[in-house]
Amino acid sequence: MQTIFTHIQSLFGIQNDFLSAIKGHDLDTVKQLEQAWMLIEDDRIVDFGSMENFPSGNYDQEINVAGKLIIPTWCDSHTHLVFPKTREEEFVDRINGLTYEQIAANGGGILNSAKHLTTISSAQLFEDACQRLEELIRLGTGAIEIKSGYGLSLEAELKILRVIKQLKETYSLPIKATFLGAHAYPLAYKENKEGYIQLIIKEMLPAIAAEGLADYMDVFCEKGFFSVADTDRLLNAAAKYHLKPKIHANQLYNSGGVQIGVQHHAISVDHLECVGDEEISCLQNSTTIPTLLPAAAFFLGISYQPARKMIDANLPVCLASDYNPGSCPSGNIPFLLSLACTQLKMTPNEAFNAVTYNGAAAMELQHEVGSITRGKKANFIISKTLPSFNLIPYSFGSNLMDKVYINGKQF
Ligand code: NIG
Ligand code: FE
């Protein structure tokens, strides 16, 4: 089945070859073709060019998208999309003066979600996750990573990871699963933290690996959560099952998470609200992708990530949503782009590359998605009528996505 899109106002985000993540000032360059056509066949992008050289032929479908942009779908490399219940009561507690850490220390936060996970059925967990995922796809997300971490027991972690597997089987967009058993110490192990680490290493990891439920291993490496030494042991254990790290680092403190992630050749270190020169130079000597989650900083009202400093240091900055019920109850990437531009002072081009190509790289999917490239999956967005891409981050709160194609099919 061949479909050709014609009169595209701008075919945005073209890459001719498969590179590693885009670094530093190169992030500000986006290749685009104005007045373009694009041909897709089944689930792949086959070719594109300028309307001046339009290849007439017998296509199954010819779609005129005059005035509209075609852009690759967003690649959201950090979410906690599968969770049992929203936590708006904690949102109000924070408005009334409690901090995220105080709420967590009182048994709220991640432990609150873990408590609710024991009572929700797997069917309901799946159905809620489907609704959230479909909302995100309609907003343009075309590849996503989803973490466990609200189970905190063998059975409950398996429950959440099996739901992620079911999502992989149900939807045609690429989904990566990350095991985040080391998200918080469960109540039962409050006085026996070593016991919980042993449970992860000796029981959870082997069971998860035996069912092939995870692509990556995550640890919330933070003061009050998992220490650098714990993270080191957990990542060593995960490596035995070939689970590469993608870790939560430096959200609340300069806690050493970046350094231990880099030492373990993490695919990415994520959050990075608290990074200084030491962390930046450590990242410069690595292949680890720094993934910024400004929507979580926005929602918690904490300081934003120093994106400009990282771009100036030639780092391959990536952006992701962090969709979760505690620190970021939204996976809306158009809004994330607005935040990145207004608060992190990233240009629209930088923000675009960070959440498409670099998002794909942070899930090791850059050969499949993340740009308009011949041979890549036909996962793309057709915008509403727009003069330029800049209107998307500019129009914060609006949805300028008209249609989303996943694997060559309109969603
Ligand atoms: O990425 N920081 C740790 N984990 C999540 C929040 C989890 C929660 O509050 O439910 C995050 O912000
Ligand atoms: Fe997170």
Side-chain angles (χ1 to χ4, degrees), residues 52-222:
E52 285 168 15
N53 309 308
F54 183 71
S56 45
N58 278 331
Y59 306 107
D60 299 297
Q61 245 187 322
E62 193 168 317
I63 302 177
N64 183 329
V65 293
K68 301 175 175 213
L69 316 186
I70 287 190
I71 52 186
T73 46
W74 324 123
C75 299
D76 191 350
S77 63
H78 182 136
T79 83
H80 309 246
L81 178 96
V82 180
F83 58 83
K85 194 184 154 297
T86 51
R87 304 208 311 256
E88 58 277 18
E89 64 289 349
E90 295 176 8
F91 169 61
V92 178
D93 287 344
R94 280 193 292 102
I95 294 167
N96 287 327
L98 288 183
T99 66
Y100 182 74
E101 287 168 278
Q102 284 165 337
I103 291 167
N106 293 338
I110 296 162
L111 295 184
N112 185 1
S113 288
K115 188 175 78 199
H116 288 293
L117 196 90
T118 58
T119 53
I120 191 170
S121 69
S122 294
Q124 189 64 49
L125 196 61
F126 174 67
E127 202 178 298
D128 293 350
C130 289
Q131 268 194 27
R132 290 179 204 127
L133 184 59
E134 290 184 19
E135 183 194 359
L136 298 191
I137 297 171
R138 282 191 287 272
L139 286 165
T141 297
I144 194 164
E145 182 257 18
I146 308 173
K147 300 172 192 298
S148 68
Y150 292 124
L152 311 181
S153 71
L154 173 62
E155 268 321 304
E157 283 295 309
L158 288 172
K159 181 174 174 179
I160 194 166
L161 285 164
R162 285 175 186 145
V163 167
I164 300 173
K165 185 175 175 207
Q166 219 181 331
L167 292 170
K168 286 188 184 191
E169 291 161 356
T170 308
Y171 293 91
S172 57
L173 80 169
I175 298 177
K176 292 280 183 150
T178 300
F179 170 50
L180 176 55
H183 200 188
Y185 289 100
L187 271 187
Y189 288 86
K190 205 172 168 198
E191 305 304 330
N192 178 18
K193 294 188 168 162
E194 183 55 27
Y196 186 59
I197 291 180
Q198 290 307 319
L199 181 73
I200 295 177
I201 294 174
K202 299 216 170 99
E203 293 186 38
M204 292 189 190
L205 275 170
I208 288 160
E211 269 189 62
L213 290 174
D215 302 299
Y216 300 113
M217 171 78 172
D218 196 345
V219 177
F220 186 15
C221 179
E222 190 57 86

Side-chain angles (χ1 to χ4, degrees), residues 25 63 146 199 229 248 280 283 350 361 402 411:
H25 294 143
I63 302 177
I146 308 173
L199 181 73
H248 280 75
I280 288 177
L283 284 162
E350 288 169 341
D402 184 17
F411 185 74

Side-chain angles (χ1 to χ4, degrees), residues 381-410:
I381 299 164
I382 302 177
S383 74
K384 293 186 178 158
T385 301
L386 292 184
S388 81
F389 176 79
N390 294 350
L391 257 284
I392 294 176
Y394 168 88
S395 310
F396 78 92
S398 296
N399 180 10
L400 300 183
M401 313 303 127
D402 184 17
K403 297 189 172 72
V404 177
Y405 279 72
I406 303 290
N407 278 356
K409 290 204 182 73
Q410 194 188 324

